[in-house]
């Protein structure tokens, strides 16, 4: 016998002990990235991520302090009106953050019903919001015919948002909320990329978006956006790989990966590319017709696009629609409509006041923290090993708000 350990396992020769497998970090590691590790594998990989995030935050803070010392406040010394718009825009961005996080969590709960389709859920919810808003506008006598430039921006944004909402619902049903949500923090990065690479071209050839080129982004704001994105990337890979998730029928399955990231995370990254354009379409439409009018038209266009697309694909059936009439589904649908209304109206107001880069950074960066908390508290998702990237994201959001 072995001292203190009993007989060896049956698959080992007598007198030999079972060897312990070294702990490793990699694309299929069960350990969280962003923290130092022990054992074999890729030595120092977790420590490298932690040091990288720490150095990035330090560089951002240093850049901010230098800008303050040089008398550079944000993009310059703002007037009283500009400062008020910036503060109000940040406030509405915060409200949009809360509303968006609530919508994502409620959609995840409703998506667990095996009879409820993703497209039907989005289409019915947006249709209800559009009809209620139409009744409100008719009751208050505020209906009007929008100018011609409104329709191009409204239709493009609504169609793209219908696609994004359907894909987002699919992503959250495929993977953990806390595994997908962090990659929404890449939204401000794509806003920045579109503003730098695409808007100058649209201004030159189409005379569109030229006003956005008049403002500049200070270095510490750029570093803040990079901090948010880097923290989100590390956080998105910090989940326990191979942990099973529940299907709609209650069976368990492993989260599917493509390369280093889950399928749901890739879907969210694709959505962020689309968001780089929809925010600007939203801003153009709001400035042309007002927040309420655009919200009404946008929701109705989204509902029509989503439901007709689902119908054409043969996915919308009487079973999927009747599933939304269950008492539990109706209550969740009502909560989604209310939360989405708060989210979208606040978002439209925010983008009309400040740059989409700032709006998305506040909404997404703060959303990572809130979504991770909701995923842990309500959906029993793991939280260990995510402290460092979350703190990096929070630091990036705070510094981005400084102006």
């Amino acid at each position: 016998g072995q001292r203190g350990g009993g007989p060896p396992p049956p698959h080992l020769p007598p007198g030999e002990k079972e060897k312990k497998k070294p702990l490793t970090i990699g694309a299929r590691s069960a350990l969280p990235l962003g923290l130092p590790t022990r054992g074999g594998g890729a030595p120092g990989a977790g420590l490298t991520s932690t040091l990288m995030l720490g150095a990035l935050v330090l560089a951002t803070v240093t850049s901010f302090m230098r800008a303050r010392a040089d008398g550079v406040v944000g993009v310059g010394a703002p007037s009283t009106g500009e400062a008020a718009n910036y503060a109000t825009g940040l406030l509405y961005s915060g409200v949009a953050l809360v509303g968006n996080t609530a919508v994502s969590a409620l959609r995840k709960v409703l998506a667990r019903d095996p009879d409820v389709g993703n497209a039907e859920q989005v289409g019915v919810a947006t249709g209800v919001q559009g009809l209620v808003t139409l009744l409100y506008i008719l009751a208050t006598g505020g209906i009007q015919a929008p100018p011609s430039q409104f329709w191009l921006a409204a239709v493009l944004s609504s169609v793209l948002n219908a696609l994004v909402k359907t894909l987002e619902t699919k992503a959250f049903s495929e993977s953990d909320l806390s595994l997908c949500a962090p990659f929404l923090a890449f939204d401000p990065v794509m806003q920045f990329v579109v503003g730098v690479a695409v808007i100058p071209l649209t201004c030159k050839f189409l005379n569109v978006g030229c006003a956005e080129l008049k403002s500049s982004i200070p270095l510490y704001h750029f570093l803040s956006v990079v901090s948010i994105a880097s923290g989100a990337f590390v956080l998105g890979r910090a989940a326990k790989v191979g942990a099973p998730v529940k299907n709609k029928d209650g069976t368990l399955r492993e989260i599917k990966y493509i390369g280093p990231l889950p399928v749901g995370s890739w879907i969210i990254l694709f959505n962020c590319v689309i968001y780089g354009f929809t925010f600007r379409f939203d801003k153009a439409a709001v400035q042309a017709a007002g927040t309420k009018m655009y919200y009404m038209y946008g929701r109705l266009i989204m509902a029509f696009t989503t439901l007709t697309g689902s119908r054409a694909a043969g996915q919308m059936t009487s079973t999927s629609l009747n599933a939304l009439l269950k008492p539990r589904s109706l209550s969740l649908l009502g909560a989604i409509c209310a939360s989405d209304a708060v989210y979208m109206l606040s978002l439209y107001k925010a983008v009309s006041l400040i740059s989409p880069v700032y709006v998305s950074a506040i909404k997404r960066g703060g959303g990572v923290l809130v979504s991770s908390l909701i995923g842990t508290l309500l959906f029993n998702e793991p939280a260990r090993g995510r402290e460092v990237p979350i703190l990096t994201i929070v630091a990036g959001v705070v510094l981005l708000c400084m102006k």
Side-chain angles (χ1 to χ4, degrees), residues 171 180 182-187 190 229 232-233 261-275:
C180 294
F183 288 90
L184 287 169
F186 277 88
D187 186 356
M190 293 312 304
F233 182 77
L261 300 177
V263 174
S265 299
W266 285 115
I267 293 175
I268 296 300
L269 285 174
F270 176 72
N271 282 355
C272 289
V273 177
I274 299 177
Y275 279 129

Side-chain angles (χ1 to χ4, degrees), residues 24 27 38 57 60 62 89 96 154 198 239 270 275 278 293 300 338 342 360 363 367 377:
T24 60
R38 297 176 296 176
V57 172
T60 308
T62 302
V198 179
F270 176 72
Y275 279 129
T278 58
M293 289 291 294
L300 291 176
V342 171
S360 61
K363 186 184 70 172
L377 297 177

Side-chain angles (χ1 to χ4, degrees), residues 262-336:
V263 174
S265 299
W266 285 115
I267 293 175
I268 296 300
L269 285 174
F270 176 72
N271 282 355
C272 289
V273 177
I274 299 177
Y275 279 129
F277 296 92
T278 58
F279 266 48
R280 289 167 171 86
F281 293 145
D282 290 338
K283 185 169 186 173
V286 169
Q287 291 176 343
T291 302
K292 294 176 184 176
M293 289 291 294
Y294 175 49
Y295 178 73
M296 178 196 71
Y297 283 115
R299 297 289 98 176
L300 291 176
I301 294 172
M302 279 184 65
F304 176 79
T305 303
T306 306
L307 293 177
T308 54
S310 177
R311 178 73 175 179
Q315 297 176 349
M316 186 172 67
T317 63
S318 58
T319 301
S320 62
L321 292 177
N322 289 334
L324 293 171
L325 298 178
K326 299 176 184 177
R328 179 176 179 275
S329 297
L330 281 176
S331 61
L332 286 171
L333 200 62
I336 289 173

Side-chain angles (χ1 to χ4, degrees), residues 232-275:
F233 182 77
V234 174
L235 181 60
R237 296 189 61 190
K240 186 176 180 181
V241 177
V245 294
K246 282 188 177 182
N247 291 316
K248 289 186 175 183
D249 58 5
T251 59
L252 295 178
R253 59 175 171 79
E254 290 188 353
I255 297 175
K256 296 180 181 179
Y257 276 68
I258 297 179
L261 300 177
V263 174
S265 299
W266 285 115
I267 293 175
I268 296 300
L269 285 174
F270 176 72
N271 282 355
C272 289
V273 177
I274 299 177
Y275 279 129

Side-chain angles (χ1 to χ4, degrees), residues 120-182:
E120 290 77 14
Q121 179 192 147
V122 173
V124 172
T126 52
V128 170
Q129 294 171 61
L131 290 175
V132 171
T133 308
L134 173 60
L135 294 175
Y136 172 79
I137 293 176
L138 290 174
T140 55
I143 194 71
Q144 58 183 351
S148 58
Q149 65 266 27
F150 164 84
W151 291 108
L152 177 61
V155 171
L156 287 174
S157 179
S158 298
V159 170
L160 290 175
N161 272 312
L163 173 64
V164 163
K165 296 301 181 186
T166 302
L167 290 176
E168 184 178 289
T169 302
K170 178 177 177 58
F172 287 138
S173 64
E174 291 281 340
S175 306
D176 283 351
L177 180 65
S178 56
L179 188 61
C180 294

Side-chain angles (χ1 to χ4, degrees), residues 30-97:
L31 288 180
L33 290 175
L35 292 177
T37 59
R38 297 176 296 176
L47 178 60
T48 300
S49 298
T50 303
L51 293 177
M52 179 198 71
L53 294 179
L56 193 54
V57 172
L58 180 61
T60 308
V61 173
T62 302
S63 176
F64 170 72
M65 297 303 294
R66 178 172 294 181
R68 289 290 186 182
D70 294 341
V72 179
V73 183
V75 295
S79 64
T80 302
E82 290 174 341
N85 283 345
Y86 187 76
T88 305
L90 292 181
L91 176 61
Y92 278 107
S93 299
V95 176
L97 151 68

